[in-house]
Amino acid sequence: MVVTLSVIKADIGGYVGHSECHPDVISTAQECMAKAKKSGLLIDYHVTKCGDDLQLIMTHQYGEESTKIHRLAWDTFQEGTKVAKKLKLHGAGQDLLSDAFSGNVKGMGPGVAEMEIEEREAESVVIFMADKTSSGSWNMPLYKMFADPFNTIGLVIAPNMHAGFKFEVHDVKEHKKITFTSPDEIYDMLIFLGAPGRFPVKAVYHRETKNVAAVSSTQKLSHIAGRYIGKDDPVCIVRCQGEFPAVGEVLEPFASPILVEGWMRGSHMGPLMPVSMRDSTPTRFDGPPRVVAIGFQLAEGRLVGPRDMFEDKAFDLARHHANEMADLMRRHGPFEPHRLPLDEMEYTTMPSVMKKLSKRFIPID
Ligand code: F6R
Ligand code: MG
Ligand code: MG
């Protein structure tokens, strides 16, 4: 059976501040989704949140970028925004950058990751959702899952994975894309992947079967709006088992937290901390950035789950390390490398302060 898995998310208001999504907003979204399921538009759905982002996980048979599905998501966010406004939540409707829907939510603020797949005999998927960071944050984890044999031993010992994977990489500045073949081209690929703010991995494909293995949201809110209006807080869908990395190989990169862009005012580097759904509430200095993972088995499009994958105690040490890394970074206060370089900060006073002081700058002899 061919089924499409769509994950569409938006921050339509935070509670309190930017730390959480209000239960009434979630239940409103659930009502919208339930209606769509009843009408036959959706096969199934799961509504959840990560930090202040509302997450709509939907299965259907209308393919990727379907106007019907994107309209449903847009209308759901509009309904949620009404509730957010009534409760005077912080930044109500903040990611909805347009007043009118024009066929596709891409470029309108929400983040989107979708894959149309032929459902396998057993279709295990993990959906990653992050808050207080940006789409490039998936670069290192995806590289480790699909190209690093020290993470994914299957690349070495599983015959159905031994040929490797292809990586579709986007240049979000130039609006171009390129596909690399791994392992052959990893040295070329890493010069790009190592600059995740500009070159996020959009998708990964099995090299032999050409089947899609992973897709991520790469929408850059600041590029869309032309000004800062919030971090992208990305999502990523990963298929697991069989010709793809095992669930444990897919989760393993998050056992060693890395520093990512985001955190307070989208202007800092901080550790990406893997947490349970319950703990996706970034409150220390509006962070540190969080990632949650929920797993499903698909059954004719039905979402069997979710399982809260980072609830496992085996990730306690990663959380501990992430908190230590957070302390180390916080020690720098407004200094780099905690604060992002001048041209990458989402909030800045530099132009106005520079203008004010311009006359006081005199040549150095
Ligand atoms: C970062 C984030 C928060 C806000 C900060 C200031 O992605 O959402 O750290 O940037 O709380 O928010 P405003 O400007 O809305 O008061
Ligand atoms: Mg917010
Ligand atoms: Mg958010």
Side-chain angles (χ1 to χ4, degrees):
M1 173 180 172
V2 176
V3 60
T4 304
L5 176 57
S6 298
V7 183
I8 307 188
K9 49 89 30 188
D11 175 352
I12 53 170
Y15 144 85
V16 172
H18 291 274
S19 66
E20 174 70 302
C21 192
H22 195 280
D24 290 359
V25 172
I26 296 176
S27 58
T28 301
Q30 272 162 342
E31 282 165 25
C32 298
M33 294 282 113
K35 266 187 222 154
K37 183 174 172 180
K38 206 165 172 206
S39 77
L41 183 56
L42 295 182
I43 301 174
D44 205 358
Y45 68 88
H46 178 69
V47 178
T48 187
K49 60 96 204 181
C50 178
D52 57 5
D53 297 300
L54 179 65
Q55 308 277 350
L56 309 177
I57 298 167
M58 300 168 281
T59 52
H60 55 91
Q61 291 199 291
Y62 294 96
E64 295 165 22
E65 299 198 21
S66 152
T67 299
K68 282 178 200 250
I69 301 301
H70 282 225
R71 180 182 294 283
L72 169 66
W74 184 258
D75 290 346
T76 303
F77 292 139
Q78 294 285 0
E79 287 305 308
T81 297
K82 283 186 203 160
V83 176
K85 284 192 170 152
K86 211 180 287 170
L87 297 170
K88 293 185 73 175
L89 299 185
H90 186 68
Q94 76 162 48
D95 284 357
L96 308 183
L97 305 180
S98 169
D99 293 333
F101 179 75
S102 59
N104 192 310
V105 294
K106 279 190 177 169
M108 298 182 77
V112 184
E114 297 182 287
M115 54 165 69
E116 185 176 52
I117 55 172
E118 175 72 47
E119 194 181 283
R120 293 171 293 165
E121 184 60 32
E123 187 64 63
S124 314
V125 293
V126 172
I127 298 171
F128 292 98
M129 299 166 273
D131 191 33
K132 305 293 182 274
T133 187
S134 54
S135 45
S137 299
W138 306 128
N139 278 17
M140 203 200 287
L142 286 172
Y143 176 79
K144 285 185 168 179
M145 287 173 213
F146 292 101
D148 178 4
F150 279 77
N151 181 87
T152 300
I153 185 63
L155 295 165
V156 180
I157 64 173
N160 54 4
M161 252 199 280
H162 198 65
F165 290 86
K166 282 180 180 261
F167 287 70
E168 182 185 314
V169 178
H170 284 197
D171 178 344
V172 292
K173 203 165 164 196
E174 298 287 329
H175 296 286
K176 287 181 181 164
K177 61 179 180 179
I178 180 170
T179 299
F180 294 101
T181 302
S182 162
D184 319 33
E185 297 184 297
I186 55 172
Y187 294 168
D188 285 346
M189 180 166 85
L190 282 170
I191 191 75
F192 297 98
L193 261 52
R198 174 152 174 199
F199 297 103
V201 175
K202 177 66 194 172
V204 181
Y205 298 91
H206 192 280
R207 199 166 160 185
E208 285 174 336
T209 65
K210 300 188 171 42
N211 286 331
V212 64
V215 285
S216 75
S217 60
T218 48
Q219 286 75 22
K220 267 238 163 267
L221 279 170
S222 51
H223 288 199
I224 297 167
R227 67 193 155 84
Y228 176 67
I229 32 82
K231 266 287 167 206
D232 316 312
D233 300 339
V235 291
C236 184
I237 309 172
V238 182
R239 297 172 84 185
C240 312
Q241 307 295 145
E243 68 188 79
F244 305 117
V247 166
E249 290 166 329
V250 165
L251 300 175
E252 180 65 7
F254 299 93
S256 312
I258 55 164
L259 295 170
V260 295
E261 286 181 10
W263 208 344
M264 174 60 78
R265 295 178 196 274
S267 303
H268 295 82
M269 294 298 291
L272 184 60
M273 184 160 70
V275 293
S276 67
M277 293 302 295
R278 203 174 55 99
D279 292 333
S280 70
T281 50
T283 42
R284 180 180 179 191
F285 196 56
D286 285 4
R290 300 235 164 169
V291 55
V292 296
I294 54 175
F296 295 96
Q297 291 294 139
L298 295 189
E300 311 297 325
R302 196 156 58 85
L303 290 159
V304 180
R307 281 226 51 231
D308 187 347
M309 308 308 279
F310 287 145
E311 207 173 33
D312 186 352
K313 290 206 173 347
F315 286 93
D316 283 353
L317 196 57
R319 293 187 260 276
H320 181 77
H321 285 155
N323 277 319
E324 284 185 337
M325 288 161 78
D327 262 352
L328 173 69
M329 296 309 279
R330 287 296 303 124
R331 206 171 295 162
H332 295 79
F335 284 74
E336 297 178 14
H338 182 28
R339 197 185 79 177
L340 291 180
L342 283 177
D343 52 353
E344 286 165 38
M345 281 187 295
E346 309 282 16
Y347 282 60
T348 185
T349 49
M350 186 54 118
S352 62
V353 173
M354 188 56 111
K355 196 172 162 207
K356 183 177 77 183
L357 301 180
S358 61
K359 289 206 173 66
R360 286 174 52 191
F361 274 92
I362 55 173
I364 302 170
D365 320 316

